[in-house]
């Protein structure tokens, strides 16, 4: 556990903030860190900035993330990691599909890919315009960004998967990357597979130790650990994860079925 | 060469996955047998109902080969574990169900439930270094240990293993009580009560403040416990605490252990640690001119 | 910045040489102050008469920053130590006399003798992990600990420090008994009962078979003990067990220690470890915005 | 603790044997190892062969060394070390003065010195001819050996110090090295000093840990550890060791005064 200070806080949307920390990092996009607020809790968060000063981008949605939202520049947080396997850049034309706070690791991936001279297209979705994450950031570095909102306030009215289906009719990509709600990722996997595009998926499961020892993040079918063999999995691996898109486990290990499974 | 037996449970190798390490799901347990090479596996400790455990951090790594953990008995409750045991058994190695309880009745209920689900034995977790006052104390008193073991022993037909803590003045007395109460084997030891404070914040790191120290740094203590217990009891002893190499496992067995559990070792050597350690054990046995692992049990006495 | 006090004993730095490490001769103790930079020194544990201790090996190194030792209270007897104390005092730091006994009377005789020779305080070694049954048990029973402390306290005018073992079910109860008996400070902890078996011969390495585990690997256990004791008692607590760096010492003090003993750390960092750790502590204190080391005592509570 | 086997046993004198072990070593002459006989004891012994297969040369004189004398080729012993500071080769013409089982580390030193092209003279003393150690070994590698025995059965009748006084009248040496009974070494130091020859002394004190932690081998005056700052000390350091030639401490730490102090 290393302790670092918050160097900068950027308000991204109403409930999402980016925290740039004093600690420097040299990680792989898709890797996560365990962030500790003393006396509060410790939670897994993807790196949204993976080189130089590390950055995380967090949606305030519960006790820990709300507490994080109260912190100020100069406050201390603890860090373990980076942990897990990140995204692998394959091919030249990459398609990123992100929903909600699934976008941060994809933004880091975009940074890395553009740096390496790749062509990057990103589909970014949210409920409404003000919730769209990192659109400017992505465009500024040269990513082609396609947005969509549930309410049509920006970009296509509809889901990322609708945009995806559309673009896949017209264009070809070497690799697809997705992070967001599992049901969305399930569909992305399906659409990309139909077109023969390999996909890399960043999964979320309940993380406790982050170092592959406690077993809380294990997925059924393969018995793999999301914190160690993941969080990024290749489509071929995900297909062997029998619980993917069906259920995950809570802090006790009890199965929780995804609600809006269609 | 490594074939052995613990109270009629047959093991291809004396190396057993310790409770609470990657033991939350059946697929994981199965993988630790098929891919990892474990001779048997112990489930996460299970109670009567789901429990989320302590706030995080639940684990902190010590530089010197140690881990301090305070998971807080997070588990889905034994009933939710029925399917997991089914899957775990597909690995082909004996599945041992770990049981905790906050009362005798709870221990009995869970042990009976697990017996119904087909585990080969139950291991009674008698002491949790990191769960408040409730329940943490059974293993610290020879009388309470006796009663729990006896109660469970009378309620199930499968072997009952008592898992002891070294956080006592005299572990041998507790071990003897468990033997008197009829346990079929003794596992020694569980993690030791420990703590980490972060100096930059002045705060304890673990959500629960106190946790259990495991890994290589506790091995000399665990070996001493096994040695002392094996000298005084007749039931088989299962060594546990920091075993990471073939040499460690052999050391435990020479001290008197009939089998050795591995937990934290997975951190440094991965899931296949069981295969690796088995191979290393074979090499040491060959070098020493032994034909069977049984020959080394207790020779340090 | 590091100046502190333990029951009116003034220390330039809260770092104290632990008993039994390089504490056999006055010149050595003096050297550990003048060259090493210790704030105070504790002598080897002294008894009523010379004792050769256990057969060798008396010490075995564990790879993971630990040492298992079974010196067996080798010492020349307190009377032969009069001159050594005289020399040790020339270092200019308080000399604390460590006392062991196989009866209350022995404790009293040695403590009184050392008081006459001019030690600043006596530290009662209440538990020797490696000396048979005799004497090893005082610190394992709150009643016996109470009686020893009380008996010595009534016999001497200097501060009496009780040194405890963590090889008990509940160290806090023992600590409280010692406080009730009137001790002026508590040192926690001494080495933990441990063992090493050599796999090539199948034999225990230590001459005494069982020894005491010290060094970095026991630090998380020692910190936990200090934390628990400091929460419940009012007398100052002296942390001991594995402290090797400034961070370790600060961790002990945040857990509630008023001073920190260093022993095994000398193995890796040499005799000047006291100077090095003092410097590291100052850096941590500065970084944290503290003016005096007293400010951090117990802040983790 | 490493366990090795005895590879070869050579009877040197009635009560002295050399044990060549299977374990290889690359040590400095004058360093010692802790030798463990399981269930018996562990004792410090100088390396008499310090390169390749390690060798020790031991006088059977008590429980441990007698037990060692019973061991056979193939038997196991435990080894810790090499420990301590060894001899330093200084100058071109070296004088070695050894008595009894003080000769083994000097023989190793002679090996090293001859290897480095130095001129080596050794004074080897014993009670009687059959007890003289390593005379052939030393001569074979080109050392000039001067022997003496108490009973005159070989070489000069008298002590090493008599031979020393004689030779120092006629010859000059760059450095003197001595190992043997402390009273002998005290005199060697005195004679060499008179002639302005720097001396290195290998001291014996009761060794328990061998690694500088227990303090049993501490010497008064300097507070140094024989197992760590020694066993070889330079004359200037020895002069600060107030107990040198006066007393040593036994296993309990009690002072034992040397008997034949003159
Ligand atoms: C690999 C990984 C990367 C993540 N990256 C980000 C990110 O970049 N930005 C972001 O805002 N969020 C991210 N999360 C989710 C983040 O961990 C949760 O938002 C956070 O744990 C919520 O905690 P809370 O106390 O605020 O809310 P709670 O009310 O406790 O929980 C809210 C939601 O978060 C989930 N959750 C709670 N604790 C954990 C945990 N320990 N592990 C996994 N999920 C948990 C719950 O199941 C629930 O769905 C990531 C999760 C994982 C596993
Ligand atoms: C650095 C060093 C190098 C040595 N090298 C050699 C050598 O090359 N060959 C050799 O024959 N002997 C050597 N010795 C001496 C050797 O250690 C003793 O002969 C041995 O310990 C005797 O043990 P014992 O049980 O046989 O006899 P004991 O009857 O126990 O003792 C006989 C003598 O050895 C001394 N002794 C016993 N134990 C120790 C100990 N742990 N440390 C130091 N002295 C001890 C006693 O004080 C006594 O004078 C060396 C000693 C030291 C300190
Ligand atoms: C993360 C973790 C969780 C654990 N959970 C349990 C548990 O649920 N039940 C139990 O009896 N022991 C539990 N333990 C203790 C281990 O089973 C084992 O006794 C201890 O870790 C020492 O062995 P090791 O050093 O090989 O890990 C846990 C240990 C760790 C590290
Ligand atoms: C070689 C050695 C000898 C010891 N002798 C004593 C002793 O005589 N009396 C005592 O109270 N503690 C003795 N101890 C225990 C230490 O004082 C200390 O409590 C323990 O080693 C833990 O601290 P450390 O990890 O800093 O060494 C000894 C420890 C060692 C390693
Ligand atoms: S969170 Fe513990 S194994 Fe992944
Ligand atoms: S023998 Fe222990 S310090 Fe030298």
């Amino acid at each position: 556990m290393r302790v670092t200070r918050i160097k900068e806080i950027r308000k991204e949307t109403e409930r999402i903030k980016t925290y740039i920390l004093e600690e420097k990092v040299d990680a792989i996009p898709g890797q996560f860190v365990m962030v500790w607020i003393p006396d509060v809790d410790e939670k897994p968060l993807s790196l949204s900035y993976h080189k130089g000063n590390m950055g995380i981008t967090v949606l305030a949605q519960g006790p820990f993330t709300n507490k994080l939202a109260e912190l100020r520049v100069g406050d201390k947080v603890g860090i373990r990691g980076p942990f897990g396997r990140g995204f692998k850049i394959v091919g030249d034309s990459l398609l990123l599909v992100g929903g909600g706070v699934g976008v941060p690791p994809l933004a880091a991936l975009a940074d890395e890919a553009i740096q390496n001279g790749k062509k990057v297209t990103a589909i970014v979705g949210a409920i409404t315009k003000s919730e769209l994450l990192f659109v400017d950031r992505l465009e500024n570095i040269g990513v082609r960004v396609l947005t969509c909102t549930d309410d049509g306030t920006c970009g296509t009215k509809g889901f990322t998967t609708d945009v995806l289906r559309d673009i896949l009719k017209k264009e070809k990509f070497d690799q697809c990357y997705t992070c967001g709600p599992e049901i969305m990722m399930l569909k992305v996997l399906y659409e990309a597979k139909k077109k023969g595009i390999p996909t890399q998926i960043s999964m979320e499961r309940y993380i406790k130790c982050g170092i592959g020892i406690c077993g809380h993040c294990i997925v059924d079918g393969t018995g793999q650990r999301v914190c160690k063999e993941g969080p990024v999995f290749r489509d071929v691996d995900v297909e062997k994860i029998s619980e993917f898109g069906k259920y995950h486990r809570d802090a006790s290990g009890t199965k929780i079925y995804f609600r809006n499974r269609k | 060469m490594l074939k052995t037996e613990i109270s009629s449970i047959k093991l291809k190798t004396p190396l057993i996955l310790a409770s609470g390490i990657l033991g939350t799901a059946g697929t994981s347990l199965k993988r630790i047998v098929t891919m990892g090479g474990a001779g048997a596996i112990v489930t996460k400790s299970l109670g009567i109902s789901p429990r989320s455990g302590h706030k995080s951090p639940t684990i902190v790594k010590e530089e010197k080969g140690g881990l301090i953990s305070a998971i807080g008995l997070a588990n889905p409750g034994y009933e939710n574990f029925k399917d997991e045991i089914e899957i775990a058994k597909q690995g082909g190695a004996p599945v041992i169900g770990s049981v905790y309880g906050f009362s005798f009745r709870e221990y009995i209920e869970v042990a009976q439930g697990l017996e119904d689900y087909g585990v080969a034995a139950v291991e009674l977790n008698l002491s949790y270094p990191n769960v408040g006052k409730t329940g943490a104390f059974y293993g610290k008193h020879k009388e309470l240990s006796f009663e729990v073991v006896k109660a469970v022993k009378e309620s199930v037909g499968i072997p009952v293993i008592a898992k002891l803590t070294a956080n006592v003045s005299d572990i041998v007395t507790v071990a003897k009580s468990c033997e008197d109460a009829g346990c079929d084997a003794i596992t020694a030891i569980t993690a030791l009560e420990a703590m980490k404070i972060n100096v930059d914040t002045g705060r304890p790191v673990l959500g629960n403040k106190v946790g259990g120290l495991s890994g290589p740094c506790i091995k000399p203590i665990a070996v001493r416990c096994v040695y002392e217990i094996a000298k005084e009891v007749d039931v088989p002893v299962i060594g546990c605490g920091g075993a990471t190499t073939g040499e460690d496992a052999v050391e435990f067995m020479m001290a008197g252990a009939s089998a050795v559990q591995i937990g934290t070792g997975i951190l440094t050597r991965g899931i296949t640690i069981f295969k690796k350690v088995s191979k290393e054990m074979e090499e040491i046995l060959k070098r020493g001119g032994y034909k069977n692992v049984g020959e080394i049990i207790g020779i340090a006495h």
Side-chain angles (χ1 to χ4, degrees), chain A, chain B:
Chain A
M1 181 72 72
R2 289 111 52 204
V3 166
T4 183
R5 286 175 193 272
I6 299 173
K7 193 174 181 282
E8 195 188 324
I9 300 178
R10 298 179 197 147
K11 186 162 179 170
E12 305 286 1
T13 75
E14 196 50 50
R15 289 164 62 209
I16 298 176
K17 284 181 185 168
T18 290
Y19 306 82
I20 304 294
L21 307 179
E22 280 179 359
E23 178 159 318
K24 299 264 166 43
V25 72
D26 183 2
I28 299 162
Q31 284 192 304
F32 68 96
V33 288
M34 296 299 291
V35 178
W36 174 47
I37 308 179
D39 297 319
V40 177
D41 214 326
E42 183 198 41
K43 296 288 181 185
L45 294 164
S46 298
L47 289 171
S48 55
Y49 293 91
H50 70 290
K51 286 249 152 81
N53 288 94
M54 59 163 72
I56 48 174
T57 301
V58 189
L59 170 72
Q61 61 166 322
F64 176 83
T65 47
N66 286 334
K67 188 76 200 176
L68 195 60
E70 288 170 18
L71 297 188
R72 291 152 185 252
V73 169
D75 281 350
K76 291 172 184 173
V77 292
I79 292 290
R80 292 193 295 133
F83 293 132
R85 293 200 191 143
F87 294 110
K88 213 174 147 184
I89 296 176
V90 183
D92 290 312
S93 167
L94 318 182
L95 178 61
L96 281 41
V97 187
V101 275
V103 181
L106 294 175
L109 171 65
D111 276 349
E112 183 92 6
I114 293 286
Q115 198 86 32
N116 294 357
K118 309 294 176 183
K119 235 186 95 199
V120 183
T121 303
I123 304 174
V124 176
I127 298 169
T128 184
K129 183 178 179 183
S130 60
E131 295 286 316
L132 281 169
L133 196 58
F134 288 147
V135 176
D136 290 351
R137 170 182 173 187
L138 292 168
E139 283 179 342
N140 285 344
I141 59 168
V143 174
R144 173 173 58 145
V145 185
L146 306 171
T147 57
C148 60
T149 46
D150 295 8
D151 63 3
T153 43
C154 182
T156 310
K157 181 169 168 26
F159 303 118
T160 49
T161 38
D162 302 330
V163 182
L164 173 69
R165 207 177 302 115
D166 259 25
I167 197 170
L168 287 185
K169 279 181 196 149
K170 294 173 277 179
E171 295 181 35
K172 184 91 187 91
F173 298 91
D174 295 327
Q175 193 95 180
C176 175
Y177 301 85
T178 182
C179 186
E182 197 148 311
I183 303 305
M184 177 198 92
M185 297 198 291
L186 186 71
K187 289 183 193 155
V188 170
L189 194 66
Y190 173 80
E191 297 296 340
K193 192 173 176 169
K194 270 203 314 205
K195 297 289 174 182
I197 306 173
T199 302
Q200 294 178 32
I201 293 109
S202 176
M203 281 183 73
E204 269 190 29
R205 282 298 177 270
Y206 206 97
I207 306 273
K208 289 194 171 179
C209 72
I211 52 176
I213 197 78
C214 74
H216 269 87
C217 66
I218 276 165
V219 284
D220 278 351
T222 61
Q224 285 171 309
R225 297 156 292 184
V226 168
C227 73
K228 189 91 184 170
E229 282 90 11
V232 175
F233 292 95
R234 292 176 312 156
D235 44 16
V236 287
D237 294 321
V238 170
E239 279 160 10
K240 290 182 217 141
I241 297 174
S242 57
E243 68 175 60
F244 181 68
K246 296 196 186 79
Y247 58 85
H248 61 114
R249 286 180 168 86
D250 68 8
S252 77
T254 308
K255 290 177 193 170
I256 309 286
Y257 287 83
F258 290 113
R259 275 162 304 159
N260 51 341
R261 222 196 137 208
K262 294 168 198 169
Chain B
M1 180 168 223
L2 295 184
K3 265 191 213 144
T4 179
E5 232 184 83
I6 295 266
S7 64
S8 77
I9 302 168
K10 290 190 175 28
L11 306 175
K12 283 194 195 130
T13 164
L15 305 175
I16 302 173
L17 173 74
S19 177
I21 288 98
L22 300 180
T24 12
T27 33
S28 169
L29 293 168
K30 182 178 153 188
R31 185 172 180 237
I32 283 163
V33 174
T34 54
M35 181 177 144
I41 44 175
V42 186
T43 68
K44 171 91 211 145
S45 287
L46 299 161
I48 52 157
S49 50
R51 204 181 138 87
S52 301
H54 297 310
K55 284 224 172 130
S56 284
T58 47
I59 288 201
V60 51
K61 237 162 138 173
E62 272 288 304
E63 309 88 75
K64 302 288 169 183
L67 209 59
I68 316 176
S69 55
I71 302 283
L73 295 174
N75 83 102
Y78 77 97
E79 286 164 317
N80 276 324
F81 220 71
K82 185 178 177 186
D83 299 348
E84 311 290 352
I85 289 169
E86 211 49 62
I87 297 169
K89 277 159 66 180
Q90 293 165 10
V95 176
I96 298 165
S98 174
V99 178
Y100 79 85
F102 293 124
S103 70
F104 295 172
R105 283 200 34 187
E106 291 188 10
Y107 272 104
I108 294 172
E109 177 182 335
V110 177
Q112 286 181 331
L114 294 178
E115 179 177 32
D116 289 346
Y117 303 159
V119 297
V122 284
E123 182 180 83
L124 306 182
N125 180 353
L126 294 174
S127 188
Y128 341 117
N130 48 42
V131 183
K133 291 261 181 285
T134 29
F137 54 85
Y138 290 106
K140 291 209 172 186
H141 302 274
K142 60 176 201 288
E143 297 83 6
L144 287 171
S145 300
F146 179 92
E147 295 299 340
V148 176
V149 171
K150 191 153 175 282
V152 173
K153 187 65 195 165
E154 283 168 359
S155 316
V156 298
I158 48 175
V160 175
I161 305 165
K163 182 170 181 186
L164 305 187
T165 172
N167 277 117
V168 292
S169 305
D170 180 7
I171 198 168
V172 175
T173 320
V174 181
K176 275 185 178 164
S177 289
C178 292
E179 184 180 41
D180 291 343
C183 78
D184 300 279
I186 285 168
T187 300
I189 59 177
T190 191
L192 289 159
E193 296 165 25
M195 185 171 194
K196 172 80 190 173
I197 292 164
N198 172 273
V199 298
D200 291 313
T201 56
R203 304 309 307 153
V205 174
L206 293 174
N208 189 52
K209 290 179 179 145
V210 172
L213 181 65
S214 62
C217 53
I218 69 165
K219 194 198 63 178
I221 297 172
V223 169
R224 185 263 303 169
C225 290
V226 167
Y227 183 88
E228 289 183 345
I229 294 170
K231 201 162 60 181
E232 301 290 339
V233 307
D234 292 325
V235 296
V237 180
I238 303 171
C240 180
T244 314
T245 64
E247 195 167 322
D248 295 339
V250 168
E251 194 180 348
F252 269 111
M253 296 190 72
M254 287 177 161
S258 301
V260 180
Q261 295 188 355
I262 296 179
T264 306
I266 289 177
L267 198 60
T268 42
R269 305 195 71 192
I271 284 173
T272 54
I273 185 170
F274 302 93
K275 280 191 186 157
K276 293 173 189 158
V277 171
S278 291
K279 210 170 145 240
E280 290 159 4
M281 288 180 80
E282 284 177 350
E283 278 158 22
I284 296 172
L285 293 177
K286 266 178 218 152
R287 211 168 65 205
Y290 303 103
K291 295 213 166 48
N292 189 283
V293 73
E295 294 169 39
I296 65 167
I297 298 172
I299 63 163
H301 287 269

